[in-house]
Amino acid sequence: MEKNRTDVTRCKGCGYCVAECPKQAISFGEHMNAKGYLTIVVDQEKCIQCGSCYRVCPDNVFEIL
Amino acid sequence: MKLKAPDRITFNTSGFCPGCGHGVAGRLIAEVVEEMGLADKLITTVDVACGSLHLTDWHFDTVMAAHGRTLVTAIGLKKVRPDNPVMAYYGDGAGYAIGMAETMHAGLRNDNVIAIVVNNAIYGMTGGQMAPTTLPGQKTTSSPYGKDAARFGKPFRIEDAYSGFDIGYLARGALVGAANINRAKKMIRKAFEKHMDNQGLCYVELLSPCPTNWNLAPLKAKDFLLEEMTQHFPLGEFKGGDTK
Ligand SMILES: Cc1ncc(C[n+]2csc(CCOP(=O)(O)OP(=O)(O)O)c2C)c(N)n1
Ligand code: SF4
Ligand code: SF4
Ligand code: SF4
Ligand SMILES: [Mg+2]
């Protein structure tokens, strides 16, 4: 089930979300976006939809469904 | 819990550097404005500094003021548009260096506007020069050996400067970590509510990471903010507050 939709075209690889997630559901993947930033991936299984990543992300990457 | 960035904040990639707090501040403001149904009435002013990049993020009526004249431009707008909520958005350099006179007179008169001041202890846009908020010992492009507080002064604290003034609301939040960000949003919300109740100057300072000019990776900048910056800039409400 998709719980947390991401738009990684906006991600700048700051890592705030990775550090904040209480379930270690976010990690850096291998995809580099058009701006040249290494972007994150969310493990939808592990996500509990707490919203912390949404809150700390400066670039509006997350939408909690 | 469903969470989606407000429609009033654009989905283009913002122009801010990775990990910059301005992006979080912009979203919090858009969330509050959307929740309160003020998006079509709000008039904002932004400053000629990094915060001006919100011009292309926000879908609000926005005036770009001269550097440091953001607050006084908002005060003028409120006088000619008294029925519109008006918010000034600017940095610590704008507010506490070039715009110090505007900051002090707005407090003295308790002008009826919202001020959101993003304090990153530095001149961000121009390449990281020392500001009145720069911490003692902090290295900047204009204090390469660290700020000498005996010569340049201690970090400027708005709650001290405004201590004798009766203003509507004064608080300081931080733009790193989910708990701090939630609290900062409540402060912004309170400033907007008091503004809608015409309580005078409603002022929220937000401690914000500038990884680029602090020469720190974003997560290290977050640590610097929480461990060093808050020693000089305590978080909390100083006037008109009861936010948990
Ligand atoms: C009248 C005038 N003086 C100086 C400048 C150059 N200038 C642009 S931004 C800035 C300081 C920015 O610092 P701050 O207000 O803290 O905003 P930040 O970029 O850190 O968010 C300065 C000195 C200017 N644009 N206009
Ligand atoms: S919503 Fe919470 S659990 Fe899910 S990815 Fe974000 S921080 Fe992790
Ligand atoms: S907080 Fe946002 S911009 Fe930063 S790494 Fe996570 S998704 Fe990317
Ligand atoms: S220079 Fe600093 S304040 Fe300006 S966009 Fe970059 S991180 Fe943000
Ligand atoms: Mg600044």
Side-chain angles (χ1 to χ4, degrees), chain B residues 9-225:
Chain B
I9 194 133
T10 189
F11 293 154
N12 300 329
T13 331
S14 76
F16 301 115
C17 308
C20 175
H22 275 293
V24 177
R27 192 194 72 240
L28 295 181
I29 290 164
E31 285 175 0
V32 167
V33 170
E34 188 166 85
E35 284 162 21
M36 291 178 68
L38 300 174
D40 291 327
K41 293 188 80 183
L42 178 70
I43 304 172
T44 65
T45 62
V46 294
D47 190 73
V48 182
C50 285
S52 69
L53 298 173
H54 282 310
L55 266 180
T56 51
D57 304 341
W58 279 338
H59 299 208
F60 305 130
D61 286 338
T62 302
V63 175
M64 188 162 177
H67 179 50
R69 266 85 235 194
T70 343
L71 178 56
V72 81
T73 303
I75 293 165
L77 282 164
K78 185 69 182 172
K79 289 195 193 301
V80 294
R81 291 278 186 278
D83 297 330
N84 291 69
V86 179
M87 179 197 80
Y89 180 97
Y90 52 97
D92 50 313
Y96 308 145
I98 191 169
M100 179 68 100
E102 285 77 359
T103 295
M104 295 314 291
H105 284 285
L108 187 60
R109 294 183 304 245
N110 193 25
D111 285 309
N112 200 14
V113 293
I114 300 162
I116 307 289
V117 184
V118 173
N119 178 359
N120 51 19
I122 209 152
Y123 288 2
M125 173 139 278
T126 44
Q129 293 82 5
M130 181 169 63
T133 42
T134 298
L135 308 191
Q138 189 180 337
K139 289 182 179 159
T140 69
T141 48
S142 57
S143 61
Y145 305 110
K147 180 181 183 180
D148 176 0
R151 183 164 169 217
F152 297 108
K154 287 193 275 187
F156 175 81
R157 283 214 299 228
I158 190 65
E159 65 271 35
D160 297 342
Y162 275 2
S163 62
F165 299 160
D166 248 336
I167 68 164
Y169 185 61
L170 180 62
R172 180 181 294 112
L175 297 170
V176 292
N180 283 325
I181 289 170
N182 282 341
R183 202 157 160 238
K185 180 177 172 183
K186 287 182 186 158
M187 291 168 174
I188 295 168
R189 169 103 193 188
K190 181 158 302 165
F192 271 81
E193 284 170 356
K194 286 178 179 281
H195 178 61
M196 296 314 288
D197 194 31
N198 293 312
Q199 292 193 23
L201 184 59
C202 296
Y203 195 111
V204 181
E205 189 187 282
L206 298 166
L207 302 185
S208 178
C210 175
T212 301
N213 286 306
W214 293 356
N215 288 304
L216 295 172
L219 287 169
K220 294 270 184 252
K222 174 187 169 186
D223 292 344
F224 177 82
L225 190 157

